[in-house]
Amino acid sequence: MSRRPSGHSTRAVHAGERQETPRQGVAVPIHQTAPYRFDSAAELAGAMEAPGQEAIYSRNANPSVRAVEEKIAALEGAEDARAFASGMAAIAATLSTVLASGDGLLCSTDVYGGTSAWLDWLTRRHPEVPVERSSLADLPARLEGGVPEGIRAVFVETPANPLLGCCDLERVAAACRPRGLTLVVDNTFATPILQRPLELGASVVLHSATKFLAGHSDVTAGLVAGDAETVARFDETRRLGGGVLDPHAAFLVGRGMKTLALRMERHSANAARLAELLAGHPAVERVHYPGRDPIGSRQMSAGGGMVSFVVRGGWPAASRVMDRLEVFAIIPSLGGVESGVSSPAITSHRHLTAQERAAAGIDEGLLRLSVGIEDGDDLAADLERALDGV
Ligand code: PLP
């Protein structure tokens, strides 16, 4: 500035606003800025030529967000990735990107309740987008038998919420490829540490990074990864839709991801032990765990941190177990370092009638555990004590 500013407000806004550091920090800085500053009009004009890649405005691109995108791409074996404000923002952006007007979707019935609700909303608002549903078990044969006219993409969640059913991705991908179908896989429950859908033939893999990837239950985020050409198509969807990840949230996701492999190892060891305990307990009718599923145990390198089980005696017994647990908190989410218990009958599937829940395989006594990284002995003792009481 040619004249030294003397006003308090001007000095308060501009003094100290330099960002050069003598050397690089170990952690990627939190680039907590919405717009970027340019040295000249020509520099701004040049940057505007590639708004998806340049740091112009953080809805287009931001270095803290980019660091997380590079991390998930490296873990999933993808060419590129994009980050979103939540898992649902990632799902909405994915379907808006891969489906054009009139294109239909084949989706497995066992998906997160929010995904189902979004698809219901889509078909109500846009009846021209046909959405077909298929059970996880029937999906491969359904695709091999030929898909209905107009279907352009397939959406699968595996392991699926809340019964933890697993789908043979290699078989589904092999059926999608010759038919030109885009296969989208929600890999939230397995994470790339345990399962890599792109290597099995999927076109796009996505995550609610709110769960295991960030891992500390303190941020919402979504990630999408795939080949460079497909991922580049997400830039316009994100820039216009606006569901971008905040730089501070990106820092939390990136920090969590640094310990993902270690956490998944402990989540899986603890959950496998509890699945075994539950399977032998007289108060338990059924146990669902990917490590006990033939497809899950072949496709994943470990069973993961999610276990579901049916308590004998329906909702009265299940709610007693929830209330008696002490280390497990009642948490309607999953994937954090802390253990949690939830009931699909009163959360994701509460809007269904008892008959509809039964048809979907959701027993009133079904409980879903998100097994954390605490000491296995403490978790086993807590669960056993709660079950012995019913
Ligand atoms: N996918 C799965 C498998 C989930 O469990 C969830 C949320 O629970 C989502 C997507 C949506 O993610 P978010 O809550 O981050 O929007």
Side-chain angles (χ1 to χ4, degrees):
M1 288 186 196
S2 48
R3 188 179 74 85
R4 197 177 153 79
S6 57
H8 284 313
S9 295
T10 309
R11 280 187 283 162
V13 170
H14 293 286
E17 292 292 315
R18 270 180 297 104
Q19 295 186 12
E20 304 90 50
T21 50
R23 55 186 65 87
Q24 280 199 353
V26 173
V28 175
I30 306 174
H31 291 262
Q32 194 70 49
T33 187
Y36 283 82
R37 184 195 290 265
F38 291 82
D39 287 338
S40 67
E43 192 196 1
L44 172 60
M48 292 304 288
E49 294 302 314
Q53 283 102 58
E54 287 277 350
I56 301 170
Y57 188 60
S58 285
R59 179 153 45 75
N60 304 20
N62 176 289
S64 305
V65 174
R66 187 64 195 145
V68 171
E69 293 171 347
E70 288 183 10
K71 248 188 236 309
I72 191 66
L75 287 172
E76 288 286 8
E79 287 177 355
D80 210 348
R82 293 293 180 266
F84 293 85
S86 67
M88 284 312 302
I91 290 169
T94 300
L95 296 176
S96 338
T97 304
V98 304
L99 297 175
S101 173
D103 289 352
L105 178 76
L106 178 61
C107 181
S108 55
T109 39
D110 289 10
V111 286
Y112 167 60
T115 309
S116 264
W118 195 85
L119 291 174
D120 291 345
W121 173 87
L122 178 74
T123 44
R124 270 200 317 277
R125 295 286 299 249
H126 297 281
E128 74 280 8
V129 180
V131 176
E132 303 262 338
R133 306 297 289 260
S134 166
S135 73
L136 265 187
D138 293 344
L139 189 67
R142 175 104 185 257
L143 283 164
E144 284 156 1
V147 286
E149 190 68 18
I151 297 292
R152 291 280 176 271
V154 176
F155 187 103
V156 182
E157 183 180 308
T158 179
N161 201 10
L163 295 172
L164 307 174
C166 296
C167 181
D168 185 338
L169 289 178
E170 208 164 9
R171 191 171 157 203
V172 168
C176 285
R177 213 170 302 118
R179 294 168 178 85
L181 303 175
T182 304
L183 174 59
V184 178
V185 177
D186 185 333
N187 201 24
T188 298
F189 278 25
T191 82
I193 304 301
L194 307 183
Q195 172 177 276
R196 275 174 300 284
L198 298 176
E199 289 171 10
L200 298 170
S203 323
V204 175
V205 60
L206 61 83
H207 290 271
S208 166
T210 312
K211 317 297 186 203
F212 291 103
L213 292 186
H216 294 72
S217 305
D218 52 9
V219 65
T220 67
L223 294 170
V224 174
D227 67 78
E229 198 187 327
T230 306
V231 169
R233 287 166 54 206
F234 283 78
D235 283 337
E236 191 177 27
T237 322
R238 187 174 63 173
R239 194 168 63 249
L240 301 179
V244 68
L245 186 61
D246 175 80
H248 189 257
F251 165 76
L252 291 172
V253 176
R255 186 169 66 170
M257 285 172 73
K258 290 180 187 178
T259 56
L260 180 64
L262 294 172
R263 285 186 287 107
M264 290 316 292
E265 203 175 293
R266 176 65 81 92
H267 283 298
S268 298
N270 280 348
R273 174 173 172 183
L274 297 187
E276 203 64 34
L277 182 160
L278 289 164
H281 200 285
V284 173
E285 200 174 306
R286 238 179 0 266
V287 180
H288 305 277
Y289 183 56
R292 298 166 67 87
D293 177 288
I295 296 171
S297 49
R298 196 180 66 235
Q299 191 161 270
M300 294 165 62
S301 57
M306 303 301 298
V307 184
S308 298
F309 62 103
V310 177
V311 183
R312 288 186 205 283
W315 173 241
S319 59
R320 260 203 317 282
V321 172
M322 285 176 83
D323 292 341
R324 287 175 57 82
L325 285 165
E326 288 173 3
V327 182
F328 283 84
I330 298 177
I331 306 177
S333 184
L334 59 111
V337 290
E338 64 289 313
S339 290
V341 59
S342 184
S343 152
I346 60 164
T347 56
S348 53
H349 294 71
R350 75 187 180 288
H351 55 282
L352 302 183
T353 64
Q355 288 86 343
E356 284 170 334
R357 269 198 293 277
I362 308 296
D363 197 287
E364 305 292 314
L366 181 70
L367 293 181
R368 190 192 70 185
L369 300 180
S370 173
V371 182
I373 63 163
E374 300 95 332
D375 294 288
D377 287 349
D378 291 331
L379 297 179
D382 193 36
L383 196 55
E384 226 161 2
R385 199 192 48 80
L387 286 166
D388 288 348
V390 297

